[in-house]
């Protein structure tokens, strides 16, 4: 009887682990990305150039990566949607405008709060923007960088 119980427990554990396992976790891309301002801020729109210096390919499609831009330690933050989502490999350079879209499809630039704390204004020279690249599959942040304009 004890032997039958032991075999049943082992068999149940083996079946349970194979049925309920979710497979191996997918790691975030390991890539060396250089990010610099793509020039001065014009009409309140800041842009950056992303250069892939080495490592895994980085897919900029919104199904693979979430790009967050913020100013003032996160007081003002938006999700960035690249105009041309591509997969970057070593040597590629991609320009990224720091803007998002509202429900009607209109562009909204990344803005900061004025001193009153309620009104927003355009970014200007001297502002620092924080960019975070988050891998959707793993939920891991694989780039967290401050860029001074």
């Amino acid at each position: 009887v004890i032997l039958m119980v032991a075999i049943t427990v082992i068999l149940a554990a083996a079946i349970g682990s194979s049925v309920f396992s979710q497979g191996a976790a997918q790691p975030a891309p390991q890539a060396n990305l250089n990010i610099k301002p793509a020039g001065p801020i014009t009409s309140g729109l800041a842009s950056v150039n992303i250069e892939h210096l080495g490592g895994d390919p980085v897919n900029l499609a919104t199904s693979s990566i979430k790009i967050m831009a913020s100013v003032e330690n996160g007081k003002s933050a938006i999700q960035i949607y690249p105009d041309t989502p591509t997969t970057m490999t070593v040597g590629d350079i991609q320009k990224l405008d720091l803007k998002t879209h509202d429900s009607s499809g209109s562009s909204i630039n990344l803005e900061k709060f004025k001193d009153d704390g309620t009104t927003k204004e355009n970014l200007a020279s001297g502002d620092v923007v924080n960019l975070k690249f988050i891998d959707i599959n793993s939920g891991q942040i694989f780039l967290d960088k401050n860029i001074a304009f």
Side-chain angles (χ1 to χ4, degrees):
V1 172
I2 294 175
L3 182 58
M4 287 176 43
V5 171
I7 291 172
T8 304
V9 168
I10 291 171
L11 191 58
I15 292 171
S17 67
S18 66
V19 169
F20 296 112
S21 71
Q22 296 183 5
Q26 297 295 321
Q30 300 297 313
N32 184 5
L33 301 176
N34 185 28
I35 301 180
K36 293 190 249 183
I41 297 171
T42 54
S43 302
L45 178 62
S47 299
V48 295
N49 283 331
I50 305 167
E51 182 179 9
H52 194 300
L53 299 175
D56 296 334
V58 176
N59 185 351
L60 294 179
T62 55
S63 61
S64 300
I65 189 173
K66 183 176 183 180
I67 303 172
M68 297 298 298
S70 64
V71 290
E72 302 168 330
N73 296 321
K75 287 182 192 174
S76 181
I78 60 172
Q79 183 172 351
I80 304 296
Y81 300 96
D83 290 330
T84 53
T86 59
T87 298
M88 295 184 68
T89 57
V90 176
D92 290 346
I93 298 174
Q94 175 83 28
K95 182 178 177 183
L96 184 66
D97 292 333
L98 304 184
K99 64 181 181 180
T100 192
H101 305 285
D102 64 14
S103 58
S104 67
S106 298
S107 292
I108 301 171
N109 296 345
L110 177 63
E111 298 175 313
K112 63 182 178 181
F113 284 101
K114 288 185 175 182
D115 292 336
D116 64 13
T118 57
T119 310
K120 289 191 173 185
E121 65 182 347
N122 289 334
L123 296 179
S125 179
D127 288 331
V128 176
V129 174
N130 176 264
L131 279 181
K132 285 185 174 61
F133 284 36
I134 305 163
D135 180 62
I136 297 291
N137 294 328
S138 66
Q140 295 176 342
I141 296 173
F142 67 94
L143 179 111
D144 186 353
K145 184 166 184 175
N146 290 326
I147 299 103
F149 284 89

